Amino acid sequence: MKQSEFKKRRKHLMQRIGKGNIALIGSAAMQTRNNDVHYPFRQDSDFYYLTGFNEPEALAVFIPGREQGEYILFCREYDEKKALWEGAHAGLEGATKHYEADDAFPIADLNDILPGLLENKTKVFYPMGNDPELDHSLQDWLRKIRSQSRKGVVAPGELVTLDLVLHEMRLIKSAAELELMRRAAEVSANAHVKAMQVCQPGLYEYQVEAEIVHHFMQNGLRAVAYPSIVATGKNACTLHYTENNTKLKSGDLLLIDAGGECDHYAADITRTFPVSGRFSGPQKLLYQLVLDAQIAALEQIKPGLPWNLAHEASVHTITKGLLELGLLKGRLKKLIKDEKYKQFYMHRIGHWLGMDVHDVGDYKVNQEWRLLEAGMVLTVEPGIYVPADCKGVDEQWRGIGIRIEDDVLVTADGHEVLSSGAPKTIQEIEALMQAG
Ligand code: GLY
Ligand code: MN
Ligand code: MN
């Protein structure tokens, strides 16, 4: 992503914060795996959104209207030995030159410099409760300023969570963000096609997972957006199953929920298909029902409609279908009112999608479901799960878990499915698997 995009975001943020106030946001920290080995570094999404700076041990400060510069970056100083062992890092010069900070200071000097920047500001915006170290440091800095009040300096009196401003910005995706999200969804959808092509009885779930991750990596998606779920047979009824170590059997379904990350933007796609390449009778009936529910939900994705309508449409379709198939008994209206469908469809229709797979942004505004707006991206992912030990349902349905999940952009006059590259009708899936 170009630096100009980050600059635009910072400008927008400064306008929202207003003169006389200050905002702080820290980077993610390295996480230890064991001894001196770390997990791969993933920058904090809020921090990256504003800075494009992909290093730990950094803190960004935004002070609208500050004469010497509004954007200050604290980061690690350049260290030749570190560069030799761990690779490139920007240093103070890189922070100003490449990342366009107006000022850069060593992170080691944070405690000496930051109280001075906070002096006489009215509000401090920061991601409250997100980073215990920053929460704690802020209290120390404020205490330090208060202790000097006789000199005439005033400590900020209001602490405001930065989320209120920043997450509203992140909820509406720019053209540059959509380019990355399209790429993440396209590559991830093709990885699902790959999985359908290689799938056969006798493989282990992790071998199919390997194909998917291989496809992500080969196409530049260097990280998974979340641990891949590759769940065959009854494993698919465990919503967040990630063991991925069962052998595939002919006659079972395979549910794959996997998405890659493209330059910090996620895809989140689920497809469910038969290991043998052909759906059985009962699988077909439940699968078609989930697909009908997804299509009904997608019809409710357009600007101006409340976010919840898609969920309600999926609930209606699934409950009606389960009643017709005999998995639920009673009257449709009452079954919906009593939420009886939750025995088989226990999650909601989806979530915002962006830099985080479960992305930021409120779902309700003033206690009302939020209206969809162009530029929002969300998942639409109904499912039906009948546990293997489910009582009171015919044996033919037991141990079947199905979810179909697409990534959907709200457009000016409707929506666009970003993940449409992965087939989802019964005919398309069977044709693809038999061609392979
Ligand atoms: N992959 C997590 C979810 O679908 O929400
Ligand atoms: Mn998913
Ligand atoms: Mn999802």
Side-chain angles (χ1 to χ4, degrees):
M1 192 168 283
K2 289 196 190 123
Q3 284 303 317
S4 57
E5 173 81 8
F6 298 110
K7 196 169 183 171
K8 203 160 47 180
R9 295 171 184 175
R10 290 194 291 269
K11 195 168 160 214
H12 193 169
L13 181 83
M14 304 271 189
Q15 283 165 353
R16 297 268 195 117
I17 292 171
K19 280 199 180 141
N21 301 318
I22 182 170
L24 313 174
I25 182 159
S27 68
M30 295 294 284
Q31 302 291 333
T32 304
R33 187 165 191 269
N34 48 44
N35 300 325
D36 57 350
V37 174
H38 296 102
Y39 286 104
F41 179 70
R42 168 56 159 79
Q43 188 56 284
D44 176 86
S45 297
D46 282 338
F47 182 86
Y48 192 81
Y49 182 83
L50 292 170
T51 64
F53 192 70
N54 203 17
E55 293 183 26
E57 295 180 64
L59 183 114
V61 181
F62 306 99
I63 310 178
R66 179 174 175 264
E67 272 177 24
Q68 310 91 306
E70 298 182 310
Y71 168 34
I72 302 156
L73 194 55
F74 288 85
C75 64
R76 301 177 301 189
E77 286 185 271
Y78 188 78
D79 174 344
E80 244 170 56
K81 198 162 152 222
K82 198 175 189 60
L84 182 67
W85 283 80
E86 294 172 24
H89 52 288
L92 305 183
E93 202 181 314
T96 51
K97 264 202 187 138
H98 185 66
Y99 294 96
E100 301 183 8
D102 297 315
D103 252 343
F105 298 111
I107 189 79
D109 296 347
L110 186 65
N111 288 324
D112 296 331
I113 298 174
L114 208 71
L117 298 174
L118 289 167
E119 278 177 11
N120 302 324
K121 304 293 183 297
T122 308
K123 297 182 192 173
V124 184
F125 291 80
Y126 78 107
M128 213 178 268
N130 208 29
D131 173 354
E133 206 180 314
L134 180 60
D135 288 345
H136 192 257
S137 298
L138 185 57
Q139 299 306 326
D140 285 347
W141 298 328
L142 293 176
R143 230 186 331 267
K144 191 167 170 189
I145 303 171
R146 280 189 215 111
S147 74
Q148 296 173 351
S149 61
R150 265 166 296 169
K151 286 191 206 155
V153 293
V154 180
E158 265 185 74
L159 303 182
V160 185
T161 183
L162 184 63
D163 305 5
L164 289 175
V165 177
L166 195 52
H167 294 177
E168 285 300 296
M169 288 169 62
R170 279 179 55 190
L171 184 56
I172 308 293
K173 273 67 181 179
S174 69
E177 292 182 287
L178 289 175
E179 196 177 313
L180 297 174
M181 292 197 75
R182 281 205 171 84
R183 176 86 187 138
E186 185 189 326
V187 171
S188 301
N190 288 338
H192 282 263
V193 171
K194 202 77 204 265
M196 290 178 195
Q197 286 168 332
V198 301
C199 177
Q200 55 173 302
L203 286 180
Y204 282 87
E205 291 165 339
Y206 57 76
Q207 290 177 296
V208 182
E209 180 184 10
E211 289 292 334
I212 288 172
V213 175
H214 179 258
H215 189 84
F216 290 167
M217 282 274 194
Q218 282 292 347
N219 290 281
L221 308 193
R222 300 281 305 279
V224 288
Y226 54 92
S228 305
I229 298 167
V230 182
T232 193
K234 65 177 171 37
N235 296 343
C237 299
T238 303
L239 293 183
H240 288 163
Y241 172 86
T242 49
E243 277 95 341
N244 299 357
N245 59 4
T246 301
K247 205 187 241 191
L248 309 188
K249 277 200 329 270
S250 185
D252 279 346
L253 293 176
L254 181 61
L255 179 154
I256 300 181
D257 184 345
E261 209 174 72
C262 181
D263 191 4
H264 298 83
Y265 285 83
D268 181 9
I269 304 177
T270 307
R271 289 293 183 264
T272 310
F273 50 91
V275 169
S276 67
R278 272 206 191 285
F279 287 90
S280 72
Q283 289 167 352
K284 223 179 228 178
L285 289 168
L286 284 187
Y287 186 90
Q288 190 58 47
L289 181 49
V290 177
L291 186 57
D292 290 345
Q294 206 219 18
I295 291 164
L298 284 168
E299 280 168 11
Q300 303 302 321
I301 307 290
K302 49 180 117 161
L305 293 188
W307 181 79
N308 201 43
L309 283 191
H311 182 68
E312 285 171 9
S314 69
V315 163
H316 186 271
T317 305
I318 285 178
T319 310
K320 187 162 175 284
L322 291 175
L323 188 57
E324 282 162 12
L325 295 175
L327 283 101
L328 287 175
K329 291 179 183 72
R331 281 187 25 245
L332 177 62
K333 255 193 172 160
K334 181 140 171 60
L335 289 170
I336 292 177
K337 187 164 163 276
D338 297 345
E339 299 185 335
K340 293 293 185 200
Y341 56 86
K342 279 194 174 170
Q343 188 187 351
F344 305 107
Y345 175 32
M346 59 295 280
H347 56 77
R348 292 192 57 85
I349 190 66
H351 48 83
W352 307 130
L353 182 70
M355 299 183 83
D356 301 332
V357 61
H358 294 170
D359 207 32
V360 294
D362 289 333
Y363 292 89
K364 279 192 170 178
V365 176
N366 299 329
Q367 288 161 26
E368 298 286 341
W369 291 111
R370 173 165 219 146
L371 303 184
L372 296 173
E373 291 171 49
M376 292 174 169
V377 181
L378 63 162
T379 66
V380 178
E381 49 175 311
I384 293 177
Y385 315 89
V386 189
D389 58 359
C390 186
K391 303 214 166 58
V393 303
D394 200 285
E395 199 175 337
Q396 63 177 330
W397 310 115
R398 290 191 201 151
I400 297 180
I402 298 167
R403 179 164 63 255
I404 305 172
E405 174 174 30
D406 278 307
D407 302 343
V408 183
L409 164 67
V410 183
T411 59
D413 53 4
H415 66 259
E416 177 189 338
V417 178
L418 304 179
S419 48
S420 59
K424 62 182 176 186
T425 68
I426 290 173
Q427 296 80 348
E428 283 168 347
I429 290 174
E430 290 190 340
L432 175 76
M433 293 186 72
Q434 269 138 47

